Amino acid sequence: MKLTRIQNTFLWKKYCQEKQNQEELTMLPPREIMLFHGTKLNAPEKIYLDKEESFKINYAADSNMFGRGIYFAKEASYSDSGYAFQTATGTKEMLYCKVNVGECQVMQSHEGRPDMKDTDIRDHNRNIRYGCRKSNYQGSDIYIIYSTGRAYPEYLIEYSNTVPGYPQPNRRVQGTGTYGGLGRNIIS
């Protein structure tokens, strides 16, 4: 396993500015959490080397459960199971990100619709209330943001699900059992 700290001052400044804007709009302190993000078919460097947008909503599929947003997971195993980027050398990569989730609109997975657009849901005074949507799917809390500046890719994780000389771990099958290779808290 290889852990690389990402330092991109352009993206960091954008993240900090978005955090300040959200605090001014919501009148609530920022709520940041560290979450995993798999880039699937796109190399993670497209995110962390970018000098303007980093996470791009136009890469998101129209058929996602909670619409076209940027999805993050609390559990590494969720991002590993179908969303990690497969390198030419056979290893996998995912990002460990600082995400400003703010106050979350908690939803059940059956409430999701692919046509959901954003979470700027306002209260009776027309103030923005939510910074993201949150749900639990396949054993992990997932967070969906709809603004590219609300996440900063802090670490690149490169790993393999197998360790030479050790037996192959159990794999998760249809959301049950265990998943080897990445534990609950890969980074403490």
Side-chain angles (χ1 to χ4, degrees):
M1 182 172 104
K2 181 179 174 185
L3 183 66
T4 305
R5 176 144 166 115
I6 297 166
Q7 294 184 342
N8 182 323
T9 54
F10 295 103
L11 298 182
W12 180 249
K13 287 177 185 176
K14 183 175 180 177
Y15 175 79
C16 291
Q17 183 62 52
E18 179 71 26
K19 186 168 66 168
Q20 182 180 353
N21 292 347
Q22 184 182 2
E23 185 174 11
E24 289 172 7
L25 287 171
T26 62
M27 306 300 280
L28 296 169
R31 184 170 156 247
E32 298 175 297
I33 54 178
M34 295 298 292
L35 299 168
F36 295 94
H37 179 76
T39 60
K40 204 167 186 172
L41 300 176
N42 298 300
E45 64 192 28
K46 286 185 175 181
I47 292 173
Y48 66 79
L49 291 179
D50 197 303
K51 293 190 177 173
E52 293 178 27
E53 248 184 75
S54 70
F55 296 94
K56 294 185 172 130
I57 290 181
N58 60 327
Y59 286 158
D62 287 324
S63 60
N64 286 336
M65 185 184 316
F66 293 103
R68 189 170 227 174
I70 305 163
Y71 288 65
F72 297 88
K74 185 75 176 162
E75 304 297 331
S77 59
Y78 181 86
S79 292
D80 177 63
S81 65
Y83 302 103
F85 177 73
Q86 186 81 36
T87 69
T89 61
T91 60
K92 293 181 177 182
E93 293 179 338
M94 71 172 75
L95 296 168
Y96 193 52
C97 306
K98 185 181 292 272
V99 183
N100 179 15
V101 296
E103 186 177 342
C104 298
Q105 179 186 24
V106 178
M107 302 191 74
Q108 302 300 316
S109 59
H110 69 273
E111 295 177 302
R113 296 183 328 271
D115 64 340
M116 289 181 161
K117 297 294 183 202
D118 60 32
T119 59
D120 288 347
I121 298 170
R122 298 174 186 271
D123 64 15
H124 63 282
N125 292 325
R126 303 292 301 147
N127 296 317
I128 294 174
R129 175 146 183 221
Y130 298 109
C132 80
R133 287 196 169 101
K134 176 185 175 185
S135 189
N136 189 286
Y137 189 69
Q138 295 181 349
S140 179
D141 285 342
I142 58 170
Y143 295 80
I144 306 95
I145 60 171
Y146 300 85
S147 173
T148 60
R150 288 192 178 162
Y152 177 76
E154 199 148 332
Y155 296 95
L156 173 67
I157 303 168
E158 184 176 358
Y159 64 98
S160 174
N161 285 4
T162 60
V163 178
Y166 288 92
Q168 182 71 17
N170 294 331
R171 299 262 181 220
R172 174 182 283 171
V173 179
Q174 296 180 349
T176 62
T178 62
Y179 195 91
L182 289 177
R184 264 181 148 335
N185 296 313
I186 192 166
I187 299 172
S188 23

